[in-house]
Amino acid sequence: MKEEIRALLEEVVPLADLDSDFLFAELDSLGVTAILMTLSEHYGITLEATDATPKNLKNLDSIAAMVERKRSVH
């Protein structure tokens, strides 16, 4: 799943270093919104503004974990 998310996000935020452990710090509000919308649509989950935390968007591992949590709720 992590590599699938990487592929999705490379198109959405091409200038962000997806290998960074400080990914959230590299994102502006448009980037965060684009990530949440893309993941919501692709995985059929509901991601809201409250999910856009530095912890959830710290790196690809934390993004994948957030998606897994949201998928398990549905």
Side-chain angles (χ1 to χ4, degrees), residues 6-54:
R6 174 190 297 278
L8 288 169
L9 299 188
E10 283 175 345
E11 294 180 25
V12 177
V13 285
L15 300 179
D17 177 7
L18 297 177
D19 294 314
S20 172
D21 274 337
F22 303 100
L23 179 59
F24 185 81
E26 295 185 31
L27 301 171
D28 59 12
S29 60
L30 186 60
V32 169
T33 301
I35 287 173
L36 294 180
M37 288 176 54
T38 299
L39 295 174
S40 292
E41 290 172 16
H42 186 80
Y43 291 104
I45 57 177
T46 302
L47 293 172
E48 301 170 10
T50 55
D51 296 310
T53 64

Side-chain angles (χ1 to χ4, degrees), residues 51-70:
D51 296 310
T53 64
K55 181 181 176 192
N56 285 341
L57 300 175
K58 178 181 177 193
N59 55 33
L60 274 178
D61 288 329
S62 61
I63 293 171
M66 174 182 63
V67 170
E68 285 292 342
R69 280 193 311 276
K70 292 292 185 169

